[in-house]
């Protein structure tokens, strides 16, 4: 009983903060108009096999379906958990990281969706308002499906991925799942110049620190992970 209560308190705190900042009125809405999305940036990742693959795939498909129905007009904000909703409703249990430990929880695997949206947003130069990296790097070179530093963990009520459309035209995330690959298309009315991402890593005995920079060497984010050999 305590966990739902804590989540509701966190949601209420966020609601008040969004209300006072007026972000509450800037969140993206379901697409109602016929926009001329003639330009596309595409990014693809493999959905790696695992013990709970079928449940993970269910969660990815459900989250993607909800995301695909939204459009992000200029100055509007995409909020992952406002669009996707509570993972305890309709989502299945799959493996995920909680406090640095691998566990099975409802909505497990959705972080691949938030991560690929985050990565393509960096490439497009969209404004990142909120993003949280995982606390632990659980992957090896063989199991990694995205560059370290491009992940975006979601904890309903606590940690969100929020992206602002700082472009003068609407954009839309369209996600497709084909043959165990997730493809995210960033659709836009005008062409978007793709930014090159540079990765610099510093390794010590316990942690990996990753800086992500653009091609002008502007720091986009810094992520710190505890090293872990266990595979997901």
């Amino acid at each position: 009983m305590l966990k739902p209560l804590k989540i509701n308190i966190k949601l209420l705190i966020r609601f008040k903060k969004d209300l006072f900042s007026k972000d509450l009125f800037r969140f993206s809405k379901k697409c109602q108009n016929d926009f001329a999305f003639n330009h596309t940036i595409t990014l693809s990742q493999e959905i790696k096999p695992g013990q709970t693959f079928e449940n993970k795939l269910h969660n990815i498909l459900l989250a993607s379906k909800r995301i695909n129905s939204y459009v992000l007009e200029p100055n509007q904000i995409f909020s992952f958990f406002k669009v996707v909703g509570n993972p305890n409703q309709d989502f299945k249990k799959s493996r995920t990281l909680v406090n640095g430990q691998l566990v099975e929880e409802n909505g497990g695997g959705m972080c691949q969706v938030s991560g690929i949206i985050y990565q393509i947003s960096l490439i497009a130069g969209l404004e990142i308002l909120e993003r949280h990296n995982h606390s632990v790097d659980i992957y090896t070179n063989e199991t990694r499906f995205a560059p370290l530093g491009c992940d975006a963990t979601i904890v309903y009520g606590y940690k969100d991925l929020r992206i602002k459309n700082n472009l003068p035209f609407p954009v839309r995330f369209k996600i497709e799942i084909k043959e165990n690959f997730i493809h995210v298309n960033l659709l836009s009315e005008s062409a978007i110049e793709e930014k090159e991402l540079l990765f610099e890593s510093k390794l010590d005995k316990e942690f990996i620190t990753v800086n992500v920079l653009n091609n002008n060497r502007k720091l986009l984010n810094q992520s710190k992970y505890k090293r872990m050999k266990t595979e997901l």
Side-chain angles (χ1 to χ4, degrees):
M1 294 296 293
L2 284 178
K3 187 175 180 179
L5 179 60
K6 288 181 179 179
I7 291 174
N8 286 333
I9 291 173
K10 289 290 184 180
L11 290 172
L12 179 59
I13 292 171
R14 275 188 174 268
F15 175 82
K16 288 183 176 179
K17 183 179 178 180
D18 291 337
L19 180 62
F20 292 142
S21 67
K22 298 184 180 180
D23 283 348
L24 186 67
F25 310 104
R26 300 188 183 102
F27 289 118
S28 58
K29 297 183 173 55
K30 288 189 176 182
C31 187
Q32 303 290 336
N33 302 314
D34 294 326
F35 294 103
F37 292 121
N38 297 319
H39 302 271
T40 307
I41 296 176
T42 301
L43 184 64
S44 301
Q45 293 175 1
E46 183 181 0
I47 304 173
K48 298 285 187 177
Q51 295 178 358
T52 58
F53 177 81
E54 294 301 325
N55 284 2
K56 178 180 179 179
L57 187 59
H58 167 87
N59 294 339
I60 288 175
L61 285 166
L62 182 55
S64 299
K65 181 179 178 181
R66 294 179 179 179
I67 291 167
N68 288 351
S69 65
Y70 281 75
V71 67
L72 195 56
E73 297 192 41
N75 296 314
Q76 285 190 338
I77 298 168
F78 170 86
S79 161
F80 189 91
F81 70 55
K82 281 187 175 294
V83 170
V84 174
N86 189 336
N88 291 313
Q89 299 173 0
D90 303 321
F91 292 90
K92 295 182 179 181
K93 287 190 175 183
S94 186
R95 299 187 77 182
T96 188
L97 265 174
V98 177
N99 297 322
Q101 300 295 321
L102 284 169
V103 298
E104 289 189 11
E105 285 204 345
N106 289 333
M110 279 199 298
C111 285
Q112 184 161 6
V113 181
S114 56
I116 197 170
I117 287 176
Y118 173 61
Q119 186 178 352
I120 203 168
S121 297
L122 290 179
I123 292 171
L126 299 180
E127 184 178 352
I128 310 301
L129 300 181
E130 180 180 352
R131 170 261 178 181
H132 306 270
N133 63 276
H134 290 85
S135 58
V136 179
D137 177 27
I138 60 173
Y139 295 102
T140 64
N141 290 335
E142 291 74 24
T143 60
R144 195 178 307 283
F145 50 79
L148 192 62
C150 282
D151 56 315
T153 185
I154 302 297
V155 183
Y156 186 68
Y158 291 80
K159 297 179 180 181
D160 197 6
L161 173 65
R162 292 189 174 187
I163 299 164
K164 181 180 178 181
N165 181 10
N166 55 354
L167 301 172
F169 46 82
V171 298
R172 184 177 184 180
F173 298 110
K174 182 180 180 183
I175 303 172
E176 301 173 302
I177 311 299
K178 295 180 180 178
E179 298 180 352
N180 295 349
F181 277 81
I182 179 171
H183 309 274
V184 61
N185 305 285
L186 182 61
L187 310 179
S188 59
E189 286 193 330
S190 299
I192 298 173
E193 180 183 356
E194 297 185 39
K195 281 47 172 198
E196 181 183 1
L197 303 181
L198 306 175
F199 300 88
E200 295 181 350
S201 299
K202 182 180 179 181
L203 183 66
D204 60 34
K205 291 182 178 180
E206 292 188 37
F207 295 97
I208 304 170
T209 303
V210 181
N211 291 336
V212 180
L213 308 95
N214 63 15
N215 49 358
N216 294 321
R217 299 200 61 79
K218 176 184 177 182
L219 182 65
L220 301 178
N221 75 49
Q222 183 178 83
S223 306
K224 189 174 183 178
Y225 309 86
K226 187 174 182 180
R227 299 177 66 186
M228 180 176 175
K229 295 182 179 180
T230 304
E231 295 183 17
L232 185 65

